[in-house]
Amino acid sequence: MFLIYLRRELRRRKKAALVIAMGLALGIALVITVNSVSAGMTQAQGKVLQSLYGLGTDMTVTKAQPTTTSNSRPNFKFNAKSDSSSSTQSSDQVRIQGFETLASSTVTKVADQTGVKSAVGGLSLSVIKVDGSFTQGKAQTSGGSGKPGGGGGGTTKVQGGGASFGVNSYTVYGVDTGNLAVGPLTSSKITSGKTFTASQNNDKTAVVDSAYAKTNKLTVGKTLTISGTKFTVIGIATADSGDAAANVYIPLTRAQTMAASKNKVTTIYVQAADSKQISAVKQTIQKNISGTTVTTSADLASTVSGSLSTASNLATSVGKWLSIAVLIAAFLVAALLTSSAVSRRTREFGTLKALGWTSGRVTRQVMGESIVNGLLGGAFGIAIGLAGAYTVSAISPKLQASLGSTSGGGGGPGGGGPGRQSAAKAIEIALTAPVSVNTIALAVVLAIGGGLIAGTFGGWRASRLRPADALRSVA
């Protein structure tokens, strides 16, 4: 009887039911769209941070104080030659980049901490290379006899000659070939050739970033000279998003030898055993290993700037409060419309009470109708919200983001990533609006909640009606 009467009344009042349902639908659709865009912002931010950390890395450990600017200047030496022909010269200098070094034994200490799954050390280097050529000038005498010692008042001048040199700087990163699942190379994919093997930790092999390889015409099999040592290119790596961690990757032991930093690292990459315990692991490392700074992706998230940051703030703050305001308005409108509809049904409810319906039964009837309206609104709201999210994903507006420095380091985590030359370089990210199951579940809960609120108002109003009111309305 309840369901039959419910269906008949809803069909009889289709327009009123549709108005209530659409009011709830708009509020729910806005919540879905805002939540989806916020999720897309989080994903976009994750892509920016992934270009720094890579997959599998939850935090990095560096020495607490970054390296101060050194007063020593680069020193380049060239061999003098007496021949008159042009002489090509080349000299480069390898320097540790970013933070001060840590002992390699610190990597083992970090790996032994509670909650740490694995820890890998890396050495960030910068290479400044000067190459070019000298051209010897020629002496020419004008006037006089033109012969040395012959007098005659002639003037001797050196004409021609000179030097033409170019300066090239690039970044090199020493990676532990024994554990490539964590570390700077995880932010890139090997698109040509192959990556290192565990046995190549001291080999003269290199993996080159694709952008650097293209600029310098490097391919798999070619050689690259770093500080007089020739490295064979075995692979080309392409960054998943943004800049690569370095221009060139070489085995860690070989990098330590080149930088005269045996058993030293600049960065320790850490993978936590449980992603939910990252904060606790960070505190444990800082407590047990003095003189270190632990940086997580959450720490770096606040340094992401650009249009991505602006849009993210808008979606999380303004969007959230706008959604709440619209939901409250939608619930109130639904409640008022339901209460108004009950007022217009005075004769109906009064007659039903006169026929023996109890106040509770009348209230349940109104509540049932309101919940159905809420579910209809939820269905419409989910459809509209999905359409809005799909539209955002289809348009894929471009957002720019860059990582600012959190600690003043020139090239370590917090300074734009290990091995980076420019932390402020913008990264372009395409915005998407993924809709999760949790968002759909939230929409269903809101739909039922809106129906219950509206039904509560209407049911309370209906329960107060008396049979005498129906008789007076007939008269």
Side-chain angles (χ1 to χ4, degrees), residues 249-285:
Y249 305 90
I250 63 176
L252 177 58
T253 303
R254 181 60 59 176
Q256 291 170 335
T257 302
M258 290 179 56
S261 299
K262 186 177 180 181
N263 297 323
K264 297 289 185 180
V265 296
T266 52
T267 309
I268 301 173
Y269 293 85
V270 181
Q271 183 181 31
D274 185 354
S275 60
K276 297 179 181 178
Q277 300 297 322
I278 291 177
S279 179
V281 175
K282 172 183 176 179
Q283 294 177 2
T284 300
I285 295 173

Side-chain angles (χ1 to χ4, degrees), residues 54-263:
L55 300 173
T57 304
D58 297 315
M59 65 193 79
T60 54
V61 179
T62 54
K63 199 163 185 177
Q65 295 296 327
T67 304
T68 56
T69 303
S70 175
N71 292 324
S72 63
R73 297 179 179 179
N75 184 19
F76 301 97
K77 296 181 180 180
F78 300 97
N79 297 322
K81 296 182 179 181
S82 59
D83 56 36
S84 59
S85 60
S86 61
S87 175
T88 300
Q89 301 281 341
S90 179
S91 179
D92 53 10
Q93 189 172 89
V94 178
R95 286 188 166 192
I96 293 174
Q97 178 179 258
F99 291 88
E100 294 183 3
T101 57
L102 292 162
S104 295
S105 58
T106 310
V107 179
T108 304
K109 292 180 181 178
V110 172
D112 291 338
Q113 300 303 306
T114 303
V116 175
K117 182 179 180 181
S118 63
V120 176
L123 185 65
S124 179
L125 305 175
S126 64
V127 180
I128 302 175
K129 185 175 183 178
V130 177
D131 55 6
S133 61
F134 292 104
T135 302
Q136 190 174 21
K138 295 181 179 181
Q140 295 184 356
T141 303
S142 59
S145 63
K147 298 180 179 180
T155 302
T156 301
K157 295 182 179 179
V158 177
Q159 294 183 348
S164 176
F165 282 84
V167 179
N168 178 33
S169 63
Y170 56 96
T171 55
V172 177
Y173 211 96
V175 297
D176 187 347
T177 61
N179 187 355
L180 296 176
V182 183
L185 256 178
T186 56
S187 63
S188 300
K189 294 180 180 178
I190 301 298
T191 52
S192 179
K194 59 184 179 180
T195 189
F196 301 106
T197 61
S199 61
Q200 292 179 317
N201 206 40
N202 196 28
D203 285 5
K204 298 176 184 179
T205 53
V207 172
V208 183
D209 174 60
S210 58
Y212 185 78
K214 183 178 181 181
T215 301
N216 293 274
K217 298 179 180 179
L218 293 172
T219 58
V220 174
K222 287 192 174 183
T223 58
L224 171 68
T225 303
I226 305 175
S227 190
T229 302
K230 290 186 177 181
F231 290 82
T232 302
V233 178
I234 62 171
I236 305 297
T238 303
D240 289 333
S241 62
D243 292 340
N247 300 131
V248 180
Y249 305 90
I250 63 176
L252 177 58
T253 303
R254 181 60 59 176
Q256 291 170 335
T257 302
M258 290 179 56
S261 299
K262 186 177 180 181
N263 297 323

Side-chain angles (χ1 to χ4, degrees), residues 445-463:
V445 171
L446 291 175
I448 295 174
L452 288 174
I453 292 173
T456 300
F457 275 89
W460 175 79
R461 183 70 179 272
S463 66

